[in-house]
């Protein structure tokens, strides 16, 4: 396994990170960061014949987020895959001083981040052919990867989406009403501050300081999210409009969602077992626009990030992934 440039990650051993230079933009040098879990020879032998054997899984986080889900990496590799996670430019490990967190004006910009990550992953395999790629995206990362897969159909063999933000919470009709106003604002002042809309309920459902079980860097994952700007939201709306028109993905897609949403202005204890960020019914319907082989699975009691839910929900999710993975076609030499 190639080691040049890899360093121990903030998660500690066996996690390592690799900085991926991406040139400069108007805010200065830009990087993405690839994270891997170093596996022992015993790990490789133990899980050599899992349903994701011979598969590379590249995980992409959502808005105001970064990769810290250690259990996710372990469980995916237990299924036989080689797992990597990507902190996109201006997020998490890749965020630099004086950069606007998470800011892009087109989700296609992330093609550069993903291409650099896949080049680094390929270097680890020393020219090995026949491996399959199954990207996995959460929330905005799920939208980003869906669009990427449509632009690069020759690179992908399957897609796992964890509560992907495929549609505006108020549906396509609401997006059609709001989008022109947002786009006008993006043209006039792309980085204008927008009203804060996150009451912190999602953080409360996840964080060990609230109702959840998880600890993480609160600078990289703020309690109420990053500030919103018109150019970023316009880019999301453009991506959602593209999904609505149909992506015609030719590979199997697995979409994991909670069975219910609770989108309301006041805290309710039921939020600890619901999606408080997306309208899951709207997303489930929009997922049918991804392609002809889409599996939508609704998990009772799941959070917005399904793999941060309570243990029994997480176990159900990993079981679903394993059973779905067992149906993936073998396509040696595809990439």
């Amino acid at each position: 396994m190639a080691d040049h440039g890899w360093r121990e990650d903030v998660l500690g051993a066996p996690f390592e990170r690799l900085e991926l230079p991406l040139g400069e933009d108007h805010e200065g040098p830009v990087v993405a960061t690839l994270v891997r879990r170093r596996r022992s020879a015993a790990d490789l032998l133990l899980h050599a014949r899992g349903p994701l054997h011979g598969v590379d899984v590249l995980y992409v986080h959502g808005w105001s987020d970064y990769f810290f889900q250690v259990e996710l990496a372990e469980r995916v590799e237990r299924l036989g895959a080689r797992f990597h996670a990507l902190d996109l430019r201006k997020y998490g490990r890749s965020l630099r001083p004086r950069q606007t967190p998470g800011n892009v004006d087109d989700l296609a910009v992330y093609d550069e981040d993903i291409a650099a990550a896949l080049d680094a992953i390929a270097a680890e395999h020393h020219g090995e052919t026949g491996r399959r790629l199954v990207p996995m995206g959460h929330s905005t990362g799920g939208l980003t990867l869906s669009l990427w897969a449509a632009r690069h159909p020759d690179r992908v063999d399957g897609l796992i989406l964890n509560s992907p933000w495929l549609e505006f919470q108020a549906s396509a009709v609401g997006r059609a009403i709001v989008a022109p106003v947002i786009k006008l604002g993006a043209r006039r002042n792309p980085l204008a501050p927008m009203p804060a809309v996150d009451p912190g309920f999602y953080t409360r459902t996840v964080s060990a300081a609230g109702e959840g079980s998880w600890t993480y860097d609160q600078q990289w994952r703020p309690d109420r999210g990053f500030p919103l700007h018109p150019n970023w939201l316009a880019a999301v709306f453009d991506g959602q409009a593209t999904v609505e028109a149909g992506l015609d993905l030719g590979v199997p897609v697995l979409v994991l969602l909670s069975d219910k949403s609770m989108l309301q202005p006041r805290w309710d204890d039921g939020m600890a077992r619901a999606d408080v960020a997306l309208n899951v019914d709207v997303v489930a319907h929009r997922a049918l626009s991804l392609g002809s082989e889409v599996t939508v699975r609704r998990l009772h009691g799941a959070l917005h990030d399904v793999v941060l839910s309570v243990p029994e929900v997480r176990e159900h999710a990993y079981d679903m992934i394993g059973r779905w993975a067992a149906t993936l076609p073998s396509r040696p030499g595809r990439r």
Side-chain angles (χ1 to χ4, degrees):
M1 185 178 291
D3 288 317
H4 180 69
W6 288 93
R7 301 288 183 267
E8 183 171 316
D9 187 55
V10 295
L11 296 173
F15 288 90
E16 299 172 326
R17 73 180 189 277
L18 177 67
E19 188 173 288
L20 306 172
L22 298 172
E24 295 191 8
D25 68 6
H26 66 283
E27 294 183 327
V30 178
V31 302
T33 309
L34 190 64
V35 180
R36 72 182 181 188
R37 179 175 176 269
R38 177 176 283 280
R39 296 186 295 174
S40 67
D43 288 334
L44 294 172
L45 288 173
L46 185 61
H47 308 305
R49 302 313 306 175
L52 285 174
H53 173 69
V55 170
D56 290 309
V57 171
L58 178 64
Y59 172 83
V60 175
H61 56 81
W63 170 249
S64 297
D65 210 349
Y66 74 104
F67 171 69
F68 65 93
Q69 294 88 339
V70 170
E71 181 188 71
L72 172 64
E74 295 171 347
R75 294 300 298 265
V76 167
E77 293 201 334
R78 196 182 301 177
L79 292 170
R82 184 73 177 97
F83 179 92
H84 291 79
L86 182 62
D87 277 11
L88 298 169
R89 64 184 69 197
K90 304 185 183 183
Y91 284 96
R93 300 162 179 83
S94 307
L95 182 60
R96 297 294 181 264
R98 293 178 294 280
Q99 287 183 336
T100 305
N103 183 56
V104 292
D105 56 12
D106 187 340
L107 298 182
V109 167
Y110 295 130
D111 283 18
E112 298 176 7
D113 307 49
I114 296 169
L118 294 181
D119 285 346
I121 292 169
E124 294 182 16
H125 298 308
H126 304 292
E128 177 186 350
T129 60
R131 293 191 64 83
R132 292 170 292 166
L133 176 66
V134 177
M136 180 178 187
H138 168 58
S139 198
T140 314
L143 173 63
T144 297
L145 285 176
S146 298
L147 298 167
W148 176 86
R151 291 191 295 270
H152 302 83
D154 58 322
R155 302 297 305 272
V156 63
D157 297 276
L159 189 61
I160 302 172
L161 304 177
N162 169 4
S163 303
W165 194 19
L166 301 178
E167 187 53 272
F168 184 48
Q169 286 82 333
S171 79
V173 174
R175 172 169 46 79
I177 294 171
V178 175
V181 178
I182 296 299
K183 291 180 180 180
L184 178 61
R187 288 194 295 271
R188 289 179 172 175
N189 188 355
L191 294 180
M194 296 180 64
V197 296
D198 186 348
F201 295 158
Y202 178 42
T203 292
R204 184 169 174 178
T205 67
V206 169
S207 172
E211 316 298 321
S213 305
W214 308 95
T215 57
Y216 46 80
D217 189 319
Q218 292 181 316
Q219 289 187 323
W220 292 348
R221 200 176 194 272
D223 285 352
R224 294 175 180 260
F226 294 145
L228 294 178
H229 302 287
N231 62 337
W232 175 83
L233 190 54
V236 170
F237 283 165
D238 283 344
Q240 291 172 341
T242 301
V243 174
E244 182 188 10
L247 295 188
D248 197 26
L249 298 179
V251 297
V253 181
L254 174 64
V255 179
L256 301 176
L257 291 167
S258 180
D259 63 329
K260 66 178 178 180
S261 296
M262 294 190 73
L263 306 176
Q264 56 196 58
R266 299 186 66 178
W267 173 259
D268 183 290
D269 288 344
M271 291 178 167
R273 295 183 66 87
D275 190 320
V276 298
L278 301 183
N279 183 329
V280 291
D281 293 333
V282 167
V283 172
H285 175 74
R286 180 58 62 230
L288 302 180
S289 300
L290 293 172
S292 59
E293 196 173 339
V294 179
T295 301
V296 178
R297 301 302 301 266
R298 307 286 291 270
L299 292 89
H300 179 65
L303 299 178
H304 175 52
D305 189 335
V306 171
V307 302
L308 299 183
S309 305
V310 295
E312 61 267 27
V313 175
R314 304 201 305 271
E315 199 62 38
H316 193 193
Y318 293 125
D319 179 64
M320 286 181 177
I321 292 172
R323 287 188 282 119
W324 173 84
T327 69
L328 284 175
S330 176
R331 300 179 183 178
R334 178 178 173 85
R335 289 192 294 142

